[in-house]
Amino acid sequence: MRADPTATVDSRVVYIISQLVPVKPEQILAEHRLREDLGMDSVSSMELLSMLAEELDLDVGVEDIADVHTVGATIALAKTFLAKKGA
Amino acid sequence: MLPRADEELVRPLLAQVSRFALESIDARAIDRASAIPQRVLAGMGELGLFGLTLPEEFGGSGCSLPVACSAVAELARADRSVAVTLGLHLGLGTRGLVALGTRAQHERYLPTLASGNCIAAFATTEPGAGSDLSALQTRALDDGTALVVNGQKIYVTNGGLAGLYTLAVSTPGLGGSARGQSLLLIERGDAGLRVEAEEHKLGLRGSSTTGLSLEEMRLPYSRVLGEAGGGARALGMILSWGRTLMSAGCCGAARVALEKTVAHVAERRQFGKPLAALEVVREQMARLTARAFAMEALVDEVSRESAETLLVRSLAAKVFSSESAWMVVDGAIQLHGGLGFIEDTGLAMMLRDVRITRIFEGANDVLLSHLGAGELLRATARTPLASSLVEGALASAAKDADALAAQVDSLRQSLHARFRVGVFRQPRWLHRLGRACMWREAIDASVRRAIRSGRTDEIAQVALLTQEARVEVAALASEPSARELVEQCLAQALPLPEVRA
């Protein structure tokens, strides 16, 4: 199931995360760390960023995700690339 | 396998281990009884093996990982069950406690662990969670006065022998971590712990493997090992030690299988001459010899890495050494002919013993995917091996290794360009890249070892193995099995199941 394309970026990111870890969307906070707080391992956290790029049709390179470790940073990444796309 | 820098220090220890193994370890009897005699465990304790890597302050020897690897490899020559029992104790069993434990935890546990009066175990796997730690169902919940633990662990190596268990459990809310995992120290006598019956296994029959049931266990907070909620990060460090020690055991097994085979093919005559005179046999022997050399070179080198580098390189060492041990022992049986199939040679048991090494401490296929993902995120460039300091055959081997590394890098670059960040949703390619990395690490370590030794036989072994590696990596980079073709093959036998998140 895909995220609602009319929803905000924040909620779309949270929805995608909730597809990967057994945590309800309303329990996911911006300050949550992908690994320590949400229980993702190195591969699943990278998979999240892959799904995000696919869902939002973003051209994100591997080099762009090195510092993305929290839900908030994931949302910020999505917004940055959406802005680039719209520019 | 002997570590270079520690050679003088370790040689007497290894001589003692070797003598002890010869006099006290009867591998076939252990296999038949599915248990290690108490006198063997006590003898290992008297030799100080259980305290090898534990701090001197608490009765250990304070030795490094390479020294422990040498001891485990030496024991594995005699018996893999004994080697695994020790390797698990020194690696997964005590590494976390030594590195992350509090002073009080050290004082409470380390002295008896060092003497061998208490053996350590480590429990992660559950009926519903193997390589996927985020799926752990065993939980420790904070009720305000204690941690209440409920759950089940399976396939716990040393489970029936251990007095202390390090458990990986889910600890929602603990340490401010919404869904984190933590490590807990469980004592054998803790109320609520039940050690299940011994499993009947294909190999490593003398090694204890049990399940654990944890029912309404109430643990004081002092049993949390390391940072509450920080279990995932700690696990990586602990597992990297465990994998390296396990890899050392593979080296010992492969080396002894090879030695037996060298003796056999020199003696056994067919078609009027020794097997060792037949060209086809010689080629097989050369390939097995090259494998054994590369395993030892890689494990030796990886065991000296810093904790951070060990995390990634131990993946390559584990996969390469477990695959190679299987290959070498299988090849040894083939070259022994029918005799290899008979238990008396010890090779049949060895084959049963080494089979699990491709599965436990992280299934190889999962580890290869992790290795591939790590390679995609790698920030530092590899230093070329070919230089003006090496010449002749060595220079050629170094150039070949550099060419292999260039092949791996080319695959990495092509995946970056083709999939961008989406590459992490391409498990087939992560796996392939991981395998290519494994080859690069094995060949690089072998070349460096050959450079140090300057031995022509070792240089030739590297050259032979590099040929094999380059062919395989070239194949990995191509598209020999497109996903569509795989699905067509399985259309009748195994249609793709619907997966719900």
Side-chain angles (χ1 to χ4, degrees):
Chain A
M1 193 185 292
R2 296 176 73 90
D4 176 2
T6 64
T8 64
V9 175
D10 297 42
S11 59
R12 288 174 80 178
V13 169
V14 166
Y15 176 81
I16 293 168
I17 292 172
S18 73
Q19 297 297 295
L20 287 169
V21 294
V23 179
K24 291 175 184 161
E26 58 271 25
Q27 294 175 326
I28 297 171
L29 305 174
E31 61 266 31
H32 277 160
R33 296 165 294 178
L34 300 178
R35 297 187 67 174
E36 291 85 350
D37 295 327
L38 296 175
M40 291 183 166
D41 61 21
S42 55
V43 172
S44 62
S45 57
M46 293 300 122
E47 195 181 354
L48 159 68
L49 298 165
S50 288
M51 284 177 76
L52 185 70
E54 189 179 307
E55 284 276 351
L56 303 180
D57 190 25
L58 304 176
D59 182 26
V60 181
V62 173
E63 65 282 4
D64 300 315
I65 61 171
D67 298 323
V68 179
H69 303 300
T70 64
V71 175
T74 309
I75 292 169
L77 177 89
K79 287 180 175 172
T80 302
F81 277 84
L82 278 170
K84 274 188 192 173
K85 195 172 133 185
Chain B
M1 187 65 216
L2 199 61
R4 301 178 306 277
D6 311 300
E7 198 165 331
E8 292 309 315
L9 172 78
V10 175
R11 185 165 287 148
L13 169 74
L14 293 189
Q16 277 185 312
V17 173
S18 176
R19 193 165 52 245
F20 169 76
L22 195 66
E23 291 170 356
S24 307
I25 297 177
D26 180 343
R28 290 196 63 205
I30 288 172
D31 186 61
R32 278 195 298 266
S34 291
I36 300 169
Q38 190 53 44
R39 62 176 172 74
V40 172
L41 295 170
M44 291 163 68
E46 283 164 21
L47 277 178
L49 295 180
F50 288 109
L52 210 51
T53 53
L54 274 50
E56 290 179 81
E57 183 186 0
F58 297 102
S61 304
C63 288
S64 60
L65 181 56
V67 174
C69 284
S70 293
V72 168
E74 191 64 34
L75 278 177
R77 292 175 57 91
D79 184 73
R80 275 65 53 198
S81 291
V82 172
V84 161
T85 302
L86 179 67
L88 195 292
H89 174 89
L90 298 177
L92 301 183
T94 55
R95 182 59 194 155
L97 177 61
V98 170
L100 306 170
T102 62
R103 179 81 196 171
Q105 287 170 338
H106 283 178
E107 286 173 351
R108 182 173 175 85
Y109 300 117
L110 287 179
T112 52
L113 289 165
S115 66
N117 289 329
C118 175
I119 289 177
F122 184 81
T124 308
T125 307
E126 298 180 359
S131 301
D132 179 9
L133 289 177
S134 67
L136 287 177
Q137 292 296 310
T138 299
R139 288 184 172 212
L141 298 177
D142 185 359
D143 75 351
T145 58
L147 295 173
V148 182
V149 187
N150 281 286
Q152 195 181 0
K153 296 290 180 182
I154 56 173
Y155 311 148
V156 180
T157 304
N158 287 357
L161 298 173
L164 183 71
Y165 304 84
T166 301
L167 253 69
V169 299
S170 170
T171 49
L174 198 63
S177 176
R179 220 189 139 265
Q181 298 111 11
S182 302
L183 301 178
L184 301 179
L185 295 170
I186 307 282
E187 297 176 13
R188 181 65 173 251
D190 283 336
L193 171 68
R194 189 173 73 239
V195 179
E196 306 290 358
E198 288 287 343
E199 300 286 358
H200 299 289
K201 307 190 294 284
L202 173 71
L204 292 183
R205 289 181 175 165
S207 149
S208 168
T209 307
T210 70
L212 300 177
S213 288
L214 308 117
E215 197 176 333
E216 291 298 310
M217 288 187 78
R218 294 184 62 80
L219 293 181
Y221 300 111
S222 61
R223 295 293 191 83
V224 176
L225 178 60
E227 185 193 349
R233 201 171 293 278
L235 264 177
M237 176 271 293
I238 296 168
L239 288 169
S240 63
W241 261 60
R243 286 178 190 130
T244 308
L245 285 159
M246 193 223 79
S247 303
C250 290
C251 292
R255 180 56 66 186
V256 77
L258 192 61
E259 288 170 2
K260 280 175 185 277
T261 311
V262 166
H264 177 77
V265 298
E267 190 179 311
R268 171 81 168 159
R269 295 181 71 86
Q270 289 287 285
F271 310 112
K273 49 182 140 179
L275 286 180
L278 301 174
E279 189 176 350
V280 171
V281 170
R282 295 192 72 75
E283 180 168 349
Q284 289 178 61
M285 286 300 297
R287 292 192 184 282
L288 300 183
T289 305
R291 279 272 173 175
F293 169 70
M295 291 165 73
E296 290 169 353
L298 180 59
V299 175
D300 181 24
E301 192 172 283
V302 166
S303 70
R304 295 161 196 286
E305 295 285 6
S306 65
E308 196 174 334
T309 322
L310 182 68
L311 209 58
V312 176
R313 293 197 78 206
S314 66
L315 301 175
K318 192 273 186 184
V319 177
F320 185 76
S321 62
S322 59
E323 286 190 355
S324 297
W326 175 258
M327 199 173 291
V328 171
V329 178
D330 181 59
I333 288 176
Q334 187 68 25
L335 288 166
H336 273 76
L339 187 61
F341 199 63
I342 306 298
E343 290 282 357
D344 290 0
T345 58
L347 290 170
M349 173 173 48
M350 209 177 290
L351 192 77
R352 291 191 277 108
D353 288 344
V354 300
R355 182 61 187 85
I356 189 62
T357 61
R358 288 157 58 200
I359 299 171
F360 69 4
E361 309 235 11
N364 282 8
D365 288 323
V366 176
L367 299 189
L368 284 173
S369 295
H370 283 255
L371 194 56
E375 176 69 8
L376 287 163
L377 295 167
R378 185 166 59 87
T380 53
R382 168 185 174 276
T383 307
L385 293 172
S387 74
S388 56
L389 296 175
V390 291
E391 51 192 23
L394 263 178
S396 173
K399 274 184 195 159
D400 286 349
D402 288 343
L404 173 70
Q407 280 179 274
V408 179
D409 206 46
S410 168
L411 174 58
R412 182 170 76 101
Q413 303 279 4
S414 72
L415 295 178
H416 269 288
R418 180 173 168 190
F419 298 111
R420 306 284 285 155
V421 75
V423 69
F424 295 105
R425 295 194 77 199
Q426 297 290 331
R428 194 166 57 106
W429 283 111
L430 291 179
H431 188 271
R432 288 181 182 202
L433 182 60
R435 178 164 283 283
C437 289
M438 174 201 79
W439 270 117
R440 182 194 60 209
E441 297 300 316
I443 296 300
D444 279 2
S446 303
V447 171
R448 283 191 281 264
R449 186 156 176 155
I451 288 173
R452 283 195 302 274
S453 77
R455 282 173 47 174
T456 52
D457 59 338
E458 292 185 350
I459 298 167
Q461 287 162 21
V462 175
L464 187 67
L465 202 61
T466 308
Q467 280 180 2
E468 186 181 332
R470 293 199 62 187
V471 169
E472 186 174 333
V473 171
L476 288 167
S478 69
E479 281 270 16
S481 60
R483 186 177 288 164
E484 296 72 23
L485 190 57
V486 169
E487 292 310 322
Q488 283 169 19
C489 288
L490 296 176
Q492 294 297 319
L494 185 64
L496 190 63
E498 187 181 343
V499 179
R500 291 201 180 118

